[in-house]
Amino acid sequence: MAPLNDEQLHQIRDERKEQIMKAALNVFARRGIIGTKMNMIAAEAGISHGLLYHYFKSKDELFITLVEGAMIEADDEMKKANLMPGTPIERIRKLTEIILDEEGAPFFMLIHQARTADGVPDKAKALVQQYSMKSFVERLLPLFLEAQDKGEIVSGDPAMLISSYLSVLSGLMVLNVQDDEGFQIPEAEFLLRMLTGR
Amino acid sequence: MAPLNDEQLHQIRDERKEQIMKAALNVFARRGIIGTKMNMIAAEAGISHGLLYHYFKSKDELFITLVEGAMIEADDEMKKANLMPGTPIERIRKLTEIILDEEGAPFFMLIHQARTADGVPDKAKALVQQYSMKSFVERLLPLFLEAQDKGEIVSGDPAMLISSYLSVLSGLMVLNVQDDEGFQIPEAEFLLRMLTGR
Amino acid sequence: MAPLNDEQLHQIRDERKEQIMKAALNVFARRGIIGTKMNMIAAEAGISHGLLYHYFKSKDELFITLVEGAMIEADDEMKKANLMPGTPIERIRKLTEIILDEEGAPFFMLIHQARTADGVPDKAKALVQQYSMKSFVERLLPLFLEAQDKGEIVSGDPAMLISSYLSVLSGLMVLNVQDDEGFQIPEAEFLLRMLTGR
Amino acid sequence: MAPLNDEQLHQIRDERKEQIMKAALNVFARRGIIGTKMNMIAAEAGISHGLLYHYFKSKDELFITLVEGAMIEADDEMKKANLMPGTPIERIRKLTEIILDEEGAPFFMLIHQARTADGVPDKAKALVQQYSMKSFVERLLPLFLEAQDKGEIVSGDPAMLISSYLSVLSGLMVLNVQDDEGFQIPEAEFLLRMLTGR
DNA sequence: AATGAATGAGTGTTCATTCAT
DNA sequence: AATGAATGAACACTCATTCAT
């Protein structure tokens, strides 16, 4: 059998990396950077812990890579909100549902870890600062302005509205609600009243 | 010279315990139980790590003691909401402000740690279960029923309303918003719209 | 390069375990479970202390494993005494010599530690109880009865004879006599007189 | 009330010292020097651990003092054996009984600890060497020679006989036999057969 | 003389990371 | 590429000893 060519090797490498990152995201989100042991990631990914170090130089690097990817994805989601069909309020509702529904919780947890937890590498801290709220507000500003224009949502400083609203959504995601605990992720309708006032 | 008398010793003990618990609450809230090193607590309290163990048998015991105290305090706050003067909605606004304003963030974060983090002692887990959402809902039920009665808040299952609302508040506190980060703890007025619809 | 195959790994593991247990036996016997520091065992075995924990979950587990092995070996030795050739008294002499001669001192001291010292894990205590004197007496009973039958040893309760005799032997081994100290491990002949009366 | 005079103070001091030493002997004998915590001694003596340090500079000093006293007492006992009434073998039997019967076990255990355990101060080691077997042999030599002379005990190197016999006794004491364990401290008669051969 | 609060060196154990195979 | 043996820094906790009162 001929040895695999460069491209194939590269592809295998990328798949492995993807596999590891997926495993790591889950574990980091649930247990935080300190609570996550390299062994757990290896186990979740179904490989030996030694092999992790062929793909990522260190736990920190792995964490940073994840944060980086997460921030970019979040940014994408916000951009898409502007391009969706429907009235502004319908699009805001859709965005709300995407954030709440989606398998996005691990992602929010990860960002939260990066923002607040201890032992987070400086570079990860820098990343969440760089991409953070301010840029999300910018992305959503046209949408919210249009909504105010049409009287669909309350008046007032739109930047403040957006960051307040996103903060509420973030907070809910970060709660990491489990089924039997009494905490309640509200319906989009309930949350939208903060904006619509009706 | 005679040794210190009982009263003096008792006072020293109480002061020290208070001092340690205050330090520990801050550190646990920020860094979680695993991320918190006994040395950090000792440093924050300005004593040697050895002395911690004169007052608390272990890190776990210290953590449990804090959770216990926090849960009781939270319960008290909910009880008080029923006894405050004013219309129901005014009282709900007041409760909201107390939760958001107060130096309560470390406390909420502690509970959050106890609920979700790794390495939490079983007893602490049991405590948050025991005192959890369900009991808070019970405490607030009369207040919310009265508010619905007077048409001050929207209709619908009041237990659901309460747990949704408290979840939002919890989420916000857990975010542990720092000044320069763009996250925004909203005004009470903003949040109350979820309930009032106006 | 391929990783080591299963057989090679297994062999390394077994060798290492043996090496650690041998080192640990020496140190535990001499210094007791509390006096033995994991570092000492690691040093005696020529490995890092971290590696100990790849092979044994804890100091307690290591100690228990040793006690278990020792008890089984002792039991085996007693069983063999019945199967040896020669007259009963010759076999008792042989057993005596084996106990006194052999590199068995560390083993006796280990059992002694498990019986009497502080900080011994419950399971180790249970093991020495389970395998203790009573079972040794049972093993040796046929041999001593036969010896009494033939008039080779004194009459009287044979169980008592056996436990008295084994107690004397145990005591001597536990003394852990070093060369220059004046203590004297007697010849078998000297000790046998307790039984033979001549 | 007039303050106590010097003599009275001295006497109180001596009584306290005695009380501490008695407590310490028990604990050291049972748990060894490492297993014995200053707190345990203080508790056994019914005083605070702080007070121990008014009477003994350190744990080591306390241990050394005990060993010193024990060695002297042992020496006394041997001397007395020569002065007792009766035939030589009767006196040897009496000595055997004293050693086995007496509350002497803690004392033997202490010496054993000093000889073999770890963490024993050098001075204590020196003491047991100095007073050890050799001097006991000297003390008992006249008695054993007389016994051989009268044909009451077997012939052979009397020094060897003595040290063998004392070793057996020491070993038995060191076993620290508890009631339910199956070990058996033999009757003097049983042990004497090693010497008498009948 | 007497107490117990306070300190800090030392030990068991965990885990990120390296490396021989 | 892949494994798991091996290392050592870091942390929870204990305990001899000191010291203010």
Side-chain angles (χ1 to χ4, degrees):
Chain A
M1 219 181 299
L4 300 175
N5 63 35
D6 268 15
E7 197 179 339
Q8 286 171 309
L9 282 175
H10 208 273
Q11 195 189 334
I12 290 181
R13 206 180 156 80
D14 282 357
E15 279 169 17
R16 270 269 191 264
K17 267 193 116 151
E18 204 53 50
Q19 172 191 8
I20 292 171
M21 286 174 63
K22 199 171 148 188
L25 174 62
N26 281 323
V27 189
F28 275 132
R30 205 161 3 100
R31 311 174 82 105
I33 189 166
I34 306 182
T36 296
K37 314 302 172 192
M38 290 301 262
N39 261 336
M40 296 172 182
I41 298 176
E44 178 101 6
I47 62 175
S48 76
H49 68 269
L51 190 51
L52 286 182
Y53 289 86
H54 275 266
Y55 294 95
F56 297 92
K57 245 198 333 264
S58 69
K59 187 167 155 178
D60 279 6
E61 191 195 272
L62 177 49
F63 187 80
I64 291 168
T65 307
L66 285 172
V67 170
E68 204 158 10
M71 299 305 308
I72 291 171
E73 236 175 278
D75 199 48
D76 280 356
E77 210 60 62
M78 303 289 167
K79 271 193 278 189
K80 276 196 285 183
N82 288 305
L83 307 173
M84 283 188 291
T87 65
I89 189 64
E90 277 168 6
R91 281 183 276 154
I92 294 174
R93 174 182 298 111
K94 188 66 192 161
L95 179 64
T96 303
E97 281 164 356
I98 287 172
I99 291 177
L100 293 182
D101 268 23
E102 203 188 357
E103 300 317 295
F107 151 85
F108 275 91
M109 307 277 308
L110 186 75
I111 305 297
H112 182 240
Q113 301 283 356
R115 269 184 51 241
T116 63
D118 207 65
V120 172
D122 288 343
K123 182 149 177 218
K125 295 231 182 231
L127 273 168
V128 292
Q129 295 250 329
Q130 178 195 333
Y131 271 90
S132 70
M133 193 55 79
K134 202 153 50 158
S135 70
F136 296 151
V137 170
E138 274 168 33
R139 294 271 185 234
L140 295 178
L141 205 49
L143 180 57
F144 274 64
L145 280 174
E146 195 186 339
Q148 284 187 322
D149 231 36
K150 297 199 170 158
E152 292 177 343
I153 64 172
V154 298
S155 59
D157 176 359
M160 184 74 87
L161 273 188
I162 296 171
S163 59
S164 291
Y165 192 64
L166 288 183
S167 294
V168 167
L169 292 179
S170 289
L172 286 168
M173 290 295 91
V174 164
L175 279 183
N176 189 23
V177 171
Q178 306 298 326
D179 284 340
D180 61 337
E181 275 179 333
F183 281 92
Q184 181 72 35
I185 300 295
E187 299 289 315
E189 218 52 51
F190 181 87
L191 296 168
L192 282 171
R193 276 206 291 272
M194 284 188 288
L195 298 175
T196 61
R198 76 177 64 102
Chain B
M1 228 174 294
L4 296 174
N5 64 37
D6 270 14
E7 198 181 336
Q8 287 170 309
L9 283 176
H10 211 272
Q11 197 190 333
I12 289 181
R13 276 195 85 81
D14 283 357
E15 279 173 19
R16 276 273 182 270
K17 264 193 122 150
E18 204 53 50
Q19 174 189 5
I20 291 171
M21 286 174 63
K22 200 172 147 185
L25 174 61
N26 282 323
V27 189
F28 275 132
R30 202 154 15 93
R31 310 172 88 107
I33 189 166
I34 305 183
T36 296
K37 314 304 172 189
M38 290 302 260
N39 263 334
M40 296 173 184
I41 298 177
E44 177 101 6
I47 60 175
S48 74
H49 71 270
L51 191 53
L52 287 181
Y53 290 88
H54 274 264
Y55 294 96
F56 296 92
K57 258 207 306 280
S58 67
K59 184 166 153 177
D60 277 8
E61 191 196 272
L62 178 48
F63 187 80
I64 291 168
T65 306
L66 286 172
V67 170
E68 201 159 13
M71 298 307 308
I72 290 172
E73 237 175 278
D75 199 49
D76 280 357
E77 212 59 64
M78 304 286 167
K79 271 193 279 188
K80 276 196 286 184
N82 287 305
L83 306 174
M84 284 188 291
T87 65
I89 189 64
E90 278 168 6
R91 282 183 276 155
I92 294 175
R93 175 181 298 111
K94 188 66 193 159
L95 178 64
T96 303
E97 282 164 356
I98 287 172
I99 291 178
L100 293 182
D101 258 28
E102 204 188 355
E103 298 318 293
F107 149 86
F108 275 91
M109 302 198 50
L110 184 75
I111 304 297
H112 182 239
Q113 299 284 357
R115 270 184 50 240
T116 63
D118 239 46
V120 172
D122 288 344
K123 183 149 178 221
K125 294 222 184 241
L127 273 168
V128 292
Q129 294 248 328
Q130 177 195 334
Y131 273 91
S132 70
M133 191 54 80
K134 202 156 52 160
S135 71
F136 296 152
V137 169
E138 274 169 33
R139 294 267 184 240
L140 295 178
L141 206 49
L143 180 57
F144 274 64
L145 281 174
E146 194 186 340
Q148 285 186 321
D149 229 38
K150 299 198 169 157
E152 292 176 345
I153 65 173
V154 298
S155 58
D157 177 358
M160 185 75 86
L161 273 188
I162 297 171
S163 59
S164 291
Y165 191 64
L166 288 182
S167 294
V168 167
L169 292 180
S170 290
L172 285 168
M173 296 324 292
V174 165
L175 280 183
N176 187 23
V177 171
Q178 305 297 328
D179 284 341
D180 61 338
E181 275 179 332
F183 280 91
Q184 181 70 36
I185 299 294
E187 298 289 316
E189 218 50 53
F190 181 87
L191 297 167
L192 283 170
R193 277 205 291 273
M194 284 186 288
L195 300 174
T196 60
R198 74 178 65 101
Chain C
M1 228 173 294
L4 296 174
N5 65 37
D6 270 13
E7 199 181 335
Q8 287 170 307
L9 284 176
H10 211 272
Q11 196 190 332
I12 289 181
R13 276 195 86 82
D14 283 356
E15 281 174 18
R16 276 273 183 270
K17 264 193 121 149
E18 205 52 53
Q19 173 189 6
I20 291 170
M21 286 174 63
K22 200 172 148 187
L25 174 61
N26 282 323
V27 190
F28 276 132
R30 202 155 13 95
R31 310 171 87 105
I33 189 166
I34 305 184
T36 295
K37 313 304 171 189
M38 290 301 260
N39 263 333
M40 297 172 182
I41 298 177
E44 178 101 5
I47 61 175
S48 74
H49 70 269
L51 191 54
L52 287 182
Y53 290 89
H54 275 265
Y55 294 95
F56 296 92
K57 258 207 306 280
S58 66
K59 186 167 155 176
D60 278 7
E61 191 196 273
L62 178 48
F63 187 80
I64 290 169
T65 306
L66 286 172
V67 169
E68 199 159 14
M71 298 308 306
I72 290 172
E73 236 175 278
D75 199 49
D76 280 356
E77 211 59 63
M78 304 287 168
K79 271 192 280 189
K80 276 196 288 187
N82 286 306
L83 307 173
M84 284 189 293
T87 66
I89 189 63
E90 279 167 8
R91 283 184 275 156
I92 294 174
R93 176 182 297 111
K94 187 67 192 158
L95 179 64
T96 303
E97 282 164 357
I98 287 174
I99 291 177
L100 293 182
D101 259 29
E102 202 188 357
E103 298 318 295
F107 148 88
F108 275 91
M109 304 199 50
L110 185 75
I111 304 297
H112 182 238
Q113 299 285 357
R115 269 185 50 242
T116 62
D118 236 48
V120 172
D122 288 343
K123 186 155 177 214
K125 295 224 182 237
L127 273 169
V128 292
Q129 295 252 326
Q130 176 194 336
Y131 274 92
S132 69
M133 191 55 79
K134 200 154 50 153
S135 71
F136 296 152
V137 169
E138 275 170 33
R139 294 269 183 239
L140 295 178
L141 206 48
L143 180 56
F144 274 63
L145 281 174
E146 193 185 341
Q148 285 185 322
D149 231 37
K150 299 200 170 156
E152 292 178 344
I153 64 174
V154 297
S155 59
D157 177 358
M160 185 75 86
L161 273 188
I162 297 172
S163 57
S164 291
Y165 191 65
L166 289 182
S167 295
V168 167
L169 293 179
S170 290
L172 285 168
M173 297 324 291
V174 165
L175 279 183
N176 187 26
V177 171
Q178 306 297 326
D179 285 341
D180 61 338
E181 276 180 333
F183 281 91
Q184 181 70 36
I185 299 295
E187 299 290 317
E189 220 49 54
F190 180 86
L191 297 168
L192 283 170
R193 277 206 290 271
M194 285 187 287
L195 299 175
T196 61
R198 74 177 65 102
Chain D
M1 222 180 300
L4 299 175
N5 63 35
D6 268 14
E7 196 180 338
Q8 286 171 307
L9 281 174
H10 209 275
Q11 195 189 333
I12 289 181
R13 205 180 157 80
D14 282 356
E15 280 170 15
R16 270 270 191 264
K17 266 191 119 151
E18 204 53 50
Q19 170 190 7
I20 291 170
M21 286 173 63
K22 199 172 150 189
L25 174 61
N26 280 324
V27 189
F28 275 130
R30 204 159 7 99
R31 312 174 82 106
I33 188 167
I34 306 182
T36 296
K37 313 303 171 192
M38 290 300 261
N39 261 335
M40 297 172 181
I41 298 176
E44 179 101 5
I47 61 175
S48 76
H49 68 269
L51 190 52
L52 286 182
Y53 289 87
H54 276 265
Y55 294 96
F56 297 92
K57 247 203 326 270
S58 69
K59 186 167 155 176
D60 279 5
E61 191 196 272
L62 177 49
F63 187 81
I64 291 167
T65 307
L66 285 172
V67 170
E68 203 159 10
M71 297 308 306
I72 291 171
E73 237 175 278
D75 198 48
D76 281 357
E77 210 60 61
M78 302 289 167
K79 270 192 278 187
K80 277 196 285 184
N82 286 307
L83 307 174
M84 284 188 292
T87 67
I89 189 64
E90 278 169 6
R91 281 184 277 156
I92 294 175
R93 176 183 296 111
K94 187 67 192 157
L95 178 65
T96 302
E97 283 165 356
I98 287 174
I99 291 178
L100 292 181
D101 268 23
E102 201 188 0
E103 300 317 297
F107 152 85
F108 275 92
M109 306 278 309
L110 187 75
I111 305 296
H112 182 239
Q113 301 284 356
R115 268 185 52 242
T116 63
D118 207 65
V120 172
D122 289 342
K123 183 148 179 221
K125 295 232 181 230
L127 273 169
V128 291
Q129 294 253 327
Q130 176 195 333
Y131 271 90
S132 71
M133 192 55 79
K134 202 154 45 158
S135 70
F136 297 151
V137 170
E138 276 169 31
R139 295 269 184 236
L140 295 178
L141 207 48
L143 180 56
F144 273 63
L145 280 174
E146 192 184 342
Q148 283 186 322
D149 231 36
K150 300 201 170 154
E152 292 178 343
I153 65 174
V154 297
S155 59
D157 176 358
M160 185 74 88
L161 273 189
I162 296 172
S163 59
S164 290
Y165 192 65
L166 288 182
S167 294
V168 167
L169 292 180
S170 290
L172 285 169
M173 289 294 91
V174 164
L175 279 182
N176 188 23
V177 170
Q178 305 298 325
D179 285 340
D180 61 338
E181 276 179 334
F183 282 91
Q184 181 71 36
I185 299 295
E187 299 289 316
E189 218 51 52
F190 181 87
L191 297 168
L192 284 170
R193 275 205 292 271
M194 284 186 289
L195 299 174
T196 61
R198 72 177 67 102

